[in-house]
Amino acid sequence: MLEIDHDDLRYSGQAGEQVRMTVVPQGTVPLATFTLNGTTHNVPANGVITFPLQSQPNDQPMVLQLTLDFTGQGSYRVGVRSVTNENDDECVHTWLGPPLAIKTFSFFVD
């Protein structure tokens, strides 16, 4: 997978390629959910979200919306793997809170 745009959270990869995201709370209780393909889930206790890239109608990207809530001052470290054009094959984002942070990741299938 390649990072297309760091700030816009855009990536591209091959159909079937496995996406692995880690969501690690730092200084806050983990209160994170994600929505993928229209279904919302709690981020697993181990903080790892995995899914295969799938082609979407009309060449639209797969969209993962990540909702990060906070119990006071803190942050979340979110890593996307395996991103071949990043150091250690990981693209890292950090968001400070509060307030609630909603981040939308787009995964384009080549």
Side-chain angles (χ1 to χ4, degrees), residues 19-20 44 71 79 100:
V19 176
R20 183 173 194 256
T71 57
L100 177 80

Side-chain angles (χ1 to χ4, degrees), residues 94-107:
T94 302
W95 289 289
L96 303 173
L100 177 80
I102 299 173
K103 301 298 176 179
T104 302
F105 291 80
S106 298
F107 297 91

